[in-house]
Amino acid sequence: MKIAIIGAGSTYTPEVIEGLIKRKDHLPVEELVLMDIDERKLGIVGGFVQRMVYHGIPSMQVRMTTELDDALKGASYVLGQIRVGRLPARYLDESIPLKYGLIGQETTGIGGFFNGMRAIPPLLHIARRMEQLCPDAWLINFSNPSGMVAEALCRYSEAKVIGLCNIPINTLVDMRKAVGDPNAIVETVGLNHLSYVTSVISHGVECLPELIEKGYCGAKPQNLPTCAFSTDCLKACGGIPNGYLLYYYERERQLKNQMEATKTRAQICMEIEAQLLEIYQDAKLYKKPELLNRRGGHLYSEAAVALIDSLYNDLKDMHTVNTRNSGVLPYLDAEEVAEIACVVDRNGPHPVEVKKQGTPHMIQMIQTVKAYERMAVEAAVHGDQSLALAALMSHPLIGDFSKAKACFEEMLEAHKSYLPQFFH
């Protein structure tokens, strides 16, 4: 078994290695290839990974490369975790929109849109090289915006693709903790970063109404705002929204918080990343440092490696992933990507029937944002500026054409070197 990590210079990579070490008895990985175009970060992170592997799975060969084809050739599983333009580009995604009175965020709104515009072409290139070099491999992508990227990969490549995020696994853990039942059955509906808990059944009893009455809205990851949804908001939704919906339901407050903040999340992440890279260079270190948990990717490794375990060992267990809807959510097309619970075996994810489909409000939100994602994918693939603006006008966080156009033009210029499709 060969695993290739594309974007392995990410300070998240040790999370994945920790997961592989934990499951070494189930996953006989012979070769791990770390690929990145940033040689400095690859060298630092790769050196730390080699020490982790030496102490945890000494039989596994680890090597580093800056060549994509070298990494992909003969791979069994490919993990995509790229960030085009790195954290400085994320800083622009978060800061430029604020000038126009728009939310600045890396996965939603106009910031998320530009992250997608940069990420989709290179990820499609990776998928197409996989078609040639490792056609049987699974591409497990957690490059953001994960849902939009999965939509593009499923629509425009023949590669075997699964989109992944840590929000679903955190939601499951959190809801089970809230009802004090590690086996509670939790149902969610929606898209990546736009999902709702529609049912929490413990010992045969539906607990969601009680959770809503208590105003329970889930724990927040490090990278999300701390303010919570009101009980009235939860009742209006008819379920528990994931934390990213604070940008929709508390828009003015979130915008005010962003305007008043002394640092953007990207700047905080740059500081954490610099500290982590410093820590990783300690030749005696071979275990993941606690600081990594502040980076916002808690349980990513668990989600990614557990998924590989299910695919390789034909486990037929449940994972919530981004994959073709296949009719499970009747209000989306069967070919459209949703974030849904699936049974995963060696043939991939098989969507599971959803009993609680969501309220009319949830359905409307999901359909609206999916329509935006479809247009955004087409704009990314074809470099179509009119379609890009149409997508932005459809997004619930934008709407206003003059704001959208002015912000779009500034961000297009700021990210020009990463957006050749718009300048051909």
Side-chain angles (χ1 to χ4, degrees), residues 80-231:
Q81 52 177 43
I82 69 169
R83 184 187 290 281
V84 178
R86 305 177 183 85
L87 288 169
R90 175 175 174 173
Y91 170 72
L92 297 175
D93 289 339
E94 292 175 350
S95 58
I96 293 174
L98 300 180
K99 298 184 198 176
Y100 300 90
L102 296 170
I103 294 275
Q105 218 281 322
E106 63 146 350
T107 64
T108 191
I110 196 164
F113 173 85
F114 271 95
N115 192 7
M117 295 305 100
R118 298 192 303 275
I120 286 170
L123 282 159
L124 279 172
H125 174 66
I126 291 166
R128 286 168 185 153
R129 294 310 297 149
M130 286 178 65
E131 290 169 20
Q132 301 299 314
L133 297 166
C134 52
D136 295 326
W138 284 97
L139 171 56
I140 298 170
N141 177 66
F142 28 100
S143 314
N144 274 325
S146 185
M148 189 200 294
V149 166
E151 183 74 41
L153 292 170
C154 287
R155 202 167 279 262
Y156 282 100
S157 85
E158 298 299 317
K160 292 154 63 173
V161 176
I162 302 174
L164 203 58
C165 179
N166 65 333
I167 293 278
I169 193 169
N170 278 304
T171 298
L172 182 64
V173 169
D174 190 40
M175 290 298 145
R176 286 174 168 173
K177 195 185 288 183
V179 297
D181 178 3
N183 300 308
I185 299 163
V186 180
E187 270 197 335
T188 60
V189 296
L191 312 175
N192 181 237
H193 291 186
L194 193 109
S195 59
Y196 300 84
V197 175
T198 57
S199 176
V200 184
I201 295 174
S202 174
H203 304 294
V205 177
E206 177 59 76
C207 302
L208 188 66
E210 188 186 344
L211 289 170
I212 289 174
E213 200 58 50
K214 287 178 178 172
Y216 186 79
C217 46
K220 297 287 176 294
Q222 290 284 345
N223 57 324
L224 284 182
T226 51
C227 81
F229 304 102
S230 68
T231 305

Side-chain angles (χ1 to χ4, degrees), residues 11 24-25 37 59 81 93 110 172 204 232 242 253 290 374 376 397 416:
T11 50
K24 63 184 176 184
D25 295 337
I37 57 172
S59 62
Q81 52 177 43
D93 289 339
I110 196 164
L172 182 64
D232 287 342
N242 93 43
R253 192 190 303 185
E290 178 58 34
R374 279 200 312 269
L397 289 181
K416 186 174 183 176

Side-chain angles (χ1 to χ4, degrees), residues 60-81:
M60 184 167 78
Q61 181 195 348
V62 182
R63 61 185 186 85
M64 295 175 249
T65 182
T66 56
E67 298 298 322
L68 178 65
D69 283 10
D70 177 31
L72 295 180
K73 193 172 182 183
S76 316
Y77 302 95
V78 177
L79 302 184
Q81 52 177 43

